[in-house]
Amino acid sequence: MNESTEISEFGIVLLFLIGGLMLTLIGMGLGSFLRPHRPNEEKNTSYECGEDPVGGAWQPFDVRFYVMALLFVLFEVELFFLFPWAMILTYEGAVAEWSLFMLIEGFIFVGILLVGLVYAWRKGLLDWIRPEARPSSFTSRIPEQIYKQFKS
Amino acid sequence: MFALLFFLLILPLNALIGVYVERKLSAFIQDRLGPLYTGRYGFLQTVADIIKLLQKEDIKPTAADKYLFKMAPSVVFMIVFACFAVFPFAPQAQGAQLNLAIFYILSILSLDVIGMMLAGWGSNNKFAMYGAMRAVSQMVSYELPLGLSLLCVVIANNSMDLQEIVHLQSLHQEPSYSGLAWAKWGGLFAWNIFQYPLLLLVFPIFLIAGLAQANRAPFDLPEAESELVAGFQTEYSGLRWAFLMLAEYGLMLLIALLAALLFLGGWASPLPNIGVVALDSWTSGTVGKISGFLWGFFWLFSKTIILILVQMWVRWTLPRLRADQLLRFCWKYLTPFGIVLVLLSALWRVFL
């Protein structure tokens, strides 16, 4: 396929975007003739299981989400660099050693990716917070062994 | 243009039938009866649901960010719908014939996260916020195994054009380099997973990552009913909620379609040619004629429906994962395994 038709194909993508938007907008528009509109104060409070909401939800969040997002960006960018590599790994009319060179280059690239993953792993960035089991100060007369027997 | 109208029809139809089938299937799995009273065997249940949703008041919480709140369902649905632009559903029937189709799908799918974040943040509700944060961390993490499994397919077929990948799995086009020799029998032997047996290992990774992308159980933490009410959809009601639901079922269809196209031969017939009994040629029709179109449509959507049923089966069989299990599974198992598979498929490509 030549380049100009390739770019004009994105016009269809734009049509799909507009089509999807239109479906939701027209749906909402048609619905507005059918649905009631009687807001009141109680109805418009945030849902919090029937209690009056305390504070807002726009609060600082756990930094681990940020770390996860950062890791994702790193790996995703490297992943996207691998797609062109996959396309030219073999092609007709290349010199005989081409594929071998490409392969070695790809392996080095993926190797760096793996080193990054291992680093994040060893740093403990991939571990999510887990509740720790705290031993209770309560001592029962029934030996611990019997509990373990039933738990397993 | 035809593809646009086609998918505009297919998506709501998929949700309409999908919800009914899922309810009946879950009822069967849990030994219940499911919807019974609306229409015969409850056939009209989802139609009744939609009429109910149309009449429901559109509640916008006072605390919410009005614009983001109203925008989010449109954004989520628009992005899921835009993905369908590149899907071929029969030979020569496709929306946009991009030769970067897989690239395009990956990039558009990652935008879906933004829609969910808008919904969660805009609601200004604690449940919605937790749900959105979970959704983002989950979808963002599982994008990697998904991308790696797509990369394996790209390496094996040396193409990013979905139509061409399907052609390579049918008898219409001779591959420039061959997988296993039995691909010349056509039918299911030419499918990617059998032509390149390495992809048989990639296929489960793709399905698992796809399930997580579509926020389906066992990865439905973002909308975990028992802990987060409805996750990022908590504040939505009526039609806006319906569009979020429509997007979820659309995503399910998308994953199933993509799996069918990339691994299971797309619109190619699953019946092989055995000597004079040319089952594949008999059940493929002629390309460019109406018969080719109808057969392609039939085979592709049979495979897709089976894969959707598998997704539903998984949902009602496995319990929900915990957040830490979810991310550990992605980062410590699927991603390294995916990277190794990429290297192996590159070796296969060059040396076999």
Side-chain angles (χ1 to χ4, degrees):
Chain A
M1 194 182 295
N2 63 42
E3 225 166 272
S4 61
T5 50
E6 170 71 23
I7 287 170
S8 68
E9 289 295 321
F10 277 99
I12 300 174
V13 171
L14 183 67
L15 268 183
F16 265 77
L17 280 168
I18 295 170
L21 189 65
M22 274 309 169
L23 184 73
T24 54
L25 291 184
I26 290 172
M28 288 306 296
L30 287 181
S32 68
F33 294 113
L34 289 170
R35 61 173 179 249
H37 181 66
R38 283 189 287 276
N40 62 41
E41 201 183 330
E42 283 297 310
K43 207 188 274 176
N44 284 354
T45 49
S46 301
Y47 178 77
E48 216 151 280
C49 299
E51 301 284 330
D52 283 336
V54 180
W58 296 334
Q59 281 160 2
F61 238 83
D62 196 329
V63 74
R64 272 159 200 273
F65 285 105
Y66 176 72
V67 172
M68 203 53 77
L70 213 62
L71 272 176
F72 159 74
V73 171
L74 277 175
F75 279 91
E76 186 79 349
V77 168
E78 303 220 358
L79 177 68
F80 269 59
F81 278 134
L82 280 172
F83 274 92
W85 168 75
M87 290 298 288
I88 55 162
L89 190 57
T90 50
Y91 70 89
E92 283 171 43
V95 288
E97 295 88 7
W98 172 267
S99 293
L100 204 61
F101 284 139
M102 288 308 291
L103 203 63
I104 291 167
E105 216 170 315
F107 268 58
I108 292 169
F109 191 81
V110 174
I112 295 169
L113 193 90
L114 273 176
V115 168
L117 186 66
V118 169
Y119 177 76
W121 195 327
R122 290 294 297 273
K123 273 277 181 185
L125 298 178
L126 306 183
D127 296 316
W128 206 245
I129 310 155
R130 292 185 63 182
E132 281 171 36
R134 292 208 189 100
S136 162
S137 59
F138 172 74
T139 44
S140 93
R141 271 183 285 175
I142 302 161
E144 198 69 14
Q145 286 293 319
I146 293 172
Y147 282 115
K148 281 192 178 148
Q149 207 177 331
F150 279 105
K151 269 181 190 168
S152 58
Chain B
M1 208 53 215
F2 171 69
L4 175 69
L5 295 175
F6 176 77
F7 281 119
L8 264 183
L9 192 72
I10 282 284
L11 240 70
L13 205 65
N14 170 55
L16 202 69
I17 299 170
V19 171
Y20 173 75
V21 169
E22 177 148 26
R23 289 180 69 174
K24 273 292 185 195
L25 195 72
S26 65
F28 172 73
I29 288 172
Q30 298 176 335
D31 206 4
R32 297 182 281 118
L33 286 171
L36 273 181
Y37 296 109
T38 328
R40 188 163 278 237
Y41 306 115
F43 271 139
L44 295 175
Q45 184 64 51
T46 36
V47 179
D49 282 346
I50 285 194
I51 293 170
K52 182 198 76 174
L53 285 172
L54 263 171
Q55 295 171 353
K56 271 199 159 187
E57 186 176 344
D58 184 28
I59 298 170
K60 301 180 213 62
T62 348
D65 186 323
K66 293 280 181 313
Y67 293 109
L68 299 186
F69 183 78
K70 280 196 248 175
M71 225 163 74
S74 299
V75 170
V76 172
F77 180 75
M78 194 170 86
I79 285 164
V80 170
F81 188 66
C83 275
F84 285 94
V86 290
F87 282 114
F89 47 92
Q92 296 183 342
Q94 191 180 11
Q97 289 159 1
L98 299 179
N99 50 22
L100 289 171
I102 289 181
F103 224 60
Y104 167 79
I105 288 170
L106 261 183
S107 43
I108 286 279
L109 256 187
S110 52
L111 284 179
D112 201 32
V113 171
I114 294 177
M116 293 192 174
M117 197 67 213
L118 283 183
W121 184 266
S123 298
N124 195 4
N125 176 308
K126 281 164 198 141
F127 295 116
M129 195 63 201
Y130 288 138
M133 289 309 269
R134 282 188 184 185
V136 171
S137 67
Q138 168 185 331
M139 291 182 74
V140 142
S141 303
Y142 276 85
E143 192 122 340
L144 285 175
L146 193 79
L148 287 169
S149 54
L150 290 179
L151 186 62
C152 289
V153 178
V154 172
I155 291 174
N157 292 89
N158 198 18
S159 171
M160 290 204 272
D161 187 345
L162 284 175
Q163 190 74 277
E164 196 185 329
I165 288 175
V166 181
H167 269 299
L168 289 171
Q169 296 176 63
S170 68
L171 289 176
H172 300 149
Q173 192 175 334
E174 280 290 310
S176 55
Y177 103 109
S178 55
L180 291 187
W182 65 16
K184 68 175 187 297
W185 296 345
L188 87 170
F189 293 104
W191 288 3
N192 259 343
I193 54 169
F194 295 121
Q195 202 175 346
Y196 311 100
L198 207 56
L199 291 183
L200 207 55
L201 298 174
V202 178
F203 187 48
I205 296 186
F206 177 83
L207 268 190
I208 292 168
L211 272 180
Q213 279 284 322
N215 290 333
R216 297 279 302 175
F219 304 105
D220 64 342
L221 283 148
E223 46 199 277
E225 295 91 352
S226 50
E227 28 185 310
L228 284 184
V229 187
F232 61 90
Q233 311 169 348
T234 305
E235 289 290 358
Y236 286 93
S237 67
L239 262 187
R240 283 188 209 280
W241 179 81
F243 284 123
L244 284 174
M245 207 63 195
L246 194 61
E248 192 191 317
Y249 274 85
L251 216 50
M252 222 166 115
L253 177 71
L254 188 138
I255 295 299
L257 256 178
L258 204 57
L261 286 169
L262 293 177
F263 296 96
L264 304 181
W267 37 256
S269 163
L271 304 168
N273 280 342
I274 308 162
V276 274
V277 192
L279 288 173
D280 191 341
S281 311
W282 295 342
T283 54
S284 294
T286 340
V287 176
K289 296 273 173 55
I290 191 86
S291 67
F293 177 78
L294 287 178
W295 275 114
F297 181 80
F298 171 72
W299 287 124
L300 178 60
F301 277 85
S302 318
K303 289 166 189 172
T304 309
I305 287 165
I306 289 171
L307 283 172
I308 289 180
L309 289 178
V310 168
Q311 290 186 36
M312 289 175 178
W313 176 28
V314 168
R315 170 170 182 179
W316 293 99
T317 307
L318 298 174
R320 186 180 300 133
L321 293 176
R322 237 174 25 227
D324 63 307
Q325 288 171 332
L326 181 94
L327 289 163
R328 191 180 64 214
F329 185 54
C330 170
W331 286 97
K332 295 194 177 173
Y333 294 89
L334 288 185
T335 308
F337 197 48
I339 291 175
V340 170
L341 278 173
V342 165
L343 295 179
L344 284 180
S345 46
L347 282 174
W348 171 294
R349 169 90 200 171
V350 171
F351 290 115
L352 286 177

